[in-house]
Amino acid sequence: MVAAGEPMKKKPKQNLLNPNWVQLQQKLKLNNKSSRTYKEEDTPKSILGKRKESPNDESNDSQIDPLIPVNDDSSLTDAVAIDCEMVGVGQGNKSALGRVTMVNKWGNVLYDEFVRPVERVVDFRTKISGIRPRDLKKAIDFWTAQKKVAELMKGRILVGHALQNDLKALLLSHPKKDIRDTSEYQPFLKSGCRRALRHLAAEILGAKIQSGEHCPIQDARAAMLLYQRNRKEWERSLRDQFRLKKKQNKRKNKKKPKNEDTSNANHAIIES
């Protein structure tokens, strides 16, 4: 009730909103609330936001390692690759076999064993060889490893890098005609000098190896892949060399009888 003498207060007029406008406001409020429920991890870390990646962009993680075998065929093939890691014996400056690895032409492992040298190890050369004392505690003996390697490479093309070092450590030999050494292949030389396997792998295969401790599996695979990618040209050059030597030998054989005839004639004259 209003007291006598007091003026009546006018009620403010309420603005009547269009029902459609009310619905629109409610929708906008709901949208604002839902848009603010994003997680912190969804916010861009940079003012510029994330750069849109094109289909051609490839991260390092997505690049395929060329040394990974394309299949799981571990059969013994016509060509095998070998790599050995050495340890120090004697005064430490003498090398002895500490690990030997062989792969087939696909790069799948045929044989991979730590080897206990005949002499006492004084330097494990871990920074390069990757071999530690615990690895040789249950290692096989040298003669067992030697016999197995000889069986695997017999009658086959032997691929590797600086193979003379591996064969020397194994006290084995192999026919020269069946050796494919990536350190001696002419197109791989630079100014007539041999190149490190890691440089050949990086330049020709696009593979990174020997950045720390050496992995003989990777090294054997790298040598095999270098050979396989150049196999046709490599074998052709060897055939050409063989033909050339054959011709040279024929020429030498033709010259020998003439010299023998003249020497016999001179001998007859002296006797008469």
Side-chain angles (χ1 to χ4, degrees):
M1 292 180 67
V2 180
E6 288 184 5
M8 290 182 64
K9 292 181 180 179
K10 292 183 180 180
K11 293 181 179 180
K13 290 183 181 181
Q14 293 182 351
N15 293 327
L16 297 176
L17 297 175
N18 189 311
N20 293 334
W21 177 247
V22 173
Q23 288 179 359
L24 181 60
Q25 283 183 327
Q26 289 175 348
K27 285 183 179 179
L28 288 172
K29 286 180 181 179
L30 288 172
N31 288 336
N32 286 335
K33 287 181 180 179
S34 63
S35 65
R36 290 176 185 175
T37 59
Y38 57 74
K39 296 179 181 178
E40 186 177 348
E41 62 189 16
D42 294 331
T43 58
K45 294 182 180 179
S46 167
I47 279 180
L48 298 176
K50 189 176 180 181
R51 181 177 64 87
K52 187 176 179 181
E53 295 180 358
S54 64
N56 295 327
D57 288 344
E58 291 183 354
S59 64
N60 291 332
D61 295 336
S62 66
Q63 290 180 354
I64 298 173
D65 185 353
L67 300 183
I68 296 176
V70 295
N71 59 43
D72 56 358
D73 183 353
S74 297
S75 59
L76 191 55
T77 51
D78 63 332
V80 295
I82 189 171
D83 187 74
C84 297
E85 295 301 332
M86 314 297 179
V87 292
V89 296
Q91 299 298 319
N93 56 352
K94 182 181 176 183
S95 295
L97 183 67
R99 183 179 177 183
V100 56
T101 302
M102 297 185 75
V103 301
N104 62 10
K105 71 177 182 180
W106 307 112
N108 291 308
V109 177
L110 296 170
Y111 190 66
D112 181 31
E113 291 287 349
F114 288 103
V115 182
R116 187 172 61 255
V118 177
E119 299 181 55
R120 187 175 68 88
V121 178
V122 296
D123 185 1
F124 288 89
R125 303 176 182 176
T126 306
K127 289 184 178 180
I128 297 175
S129 70
I131 299 173
R132 291 165 173 79
R134 65 172 180 266
D135 297 324
L136 299 188
K137 284 182 179 179
K138 295 183 179 180
I140 62 173
D141 65 88
F142 173 80
W143 307 111
T144 301
Q146 183 197 56
K147 183 179 178 182
K148 185 62 178 177
V149 171
E151 290 174 359
L152 290 172
M153 70 182 194
K154 185 177 180 180
R156 291 177 172 82
I157 291 173
L158 185 64
V159 181
H161 192 81
L163 280 170
Q164 73 276 7
N165 297 329
D166 299 321
L167 293 173
K168 182 180 178 181
L170 285 157
L171 301 179
L172 291 173
S173 61
H174 200 64
K176 189 176 180 180
K177 66 181 182 64
D178 292 331
I179 286 179
R180 305 294 182 269
D181 196 326
T182 53
S183 72
E184 296 181 353
Y185 183 46
Q186 187 66 32
F188 291 166
L189 304 181
K190 190 173 185 179
S191 302
C193 298
R194 298 180 181 184
R195 303 173 65 192
L197 181 61
R198 67 178 180 274
H199 295 153
L200 293 174
E203 182 180 316
I204 300 172
L205 305 177
K208 186 178 181 181
I209 62 171
Q210 299 179 351
S211 55
E213 296 177 5
H214 291 196
C215 173
I217 296 176
Q218 280 190 334
D219 293 353
R221 284 174 174 171
M224 177 58 79
L225 191 55
L226 285 167
Y227 169 65
Q228 291 294 344
R229 288 194 178 181
N230 297 272
R231 184 166 186 165
K232 288 183 179 179
E233 295 81 4
W234 200 324
E235 295 301 325
R236 188 185 298 117
S237 67
L238 289 175
R239 286 194 297 269
D240 292 343
Q241 289 176 16
F242 177 75
R243 290 193 192 102
L244 182 61
K245 285 183 179 180
K246 200 173 181 180
K247 286 181 180 178
Q248 290 175 345
N249 289 334
K250 282 184 178 180
R251 289 174 184 171
K252 287 180 181 178
N253 292 332
K254 285 181 180 179
K255 290 179 180 179
K256 283 182 181 179
K258 291 182 179 179
N259 294 332
E260 289 176 359
D261 291 342
T262 54
S263 62
N264 290 335
N266 294 332
H267 185 67
I269 292 170
I270 292 170
E271 285 183 349
S272 60

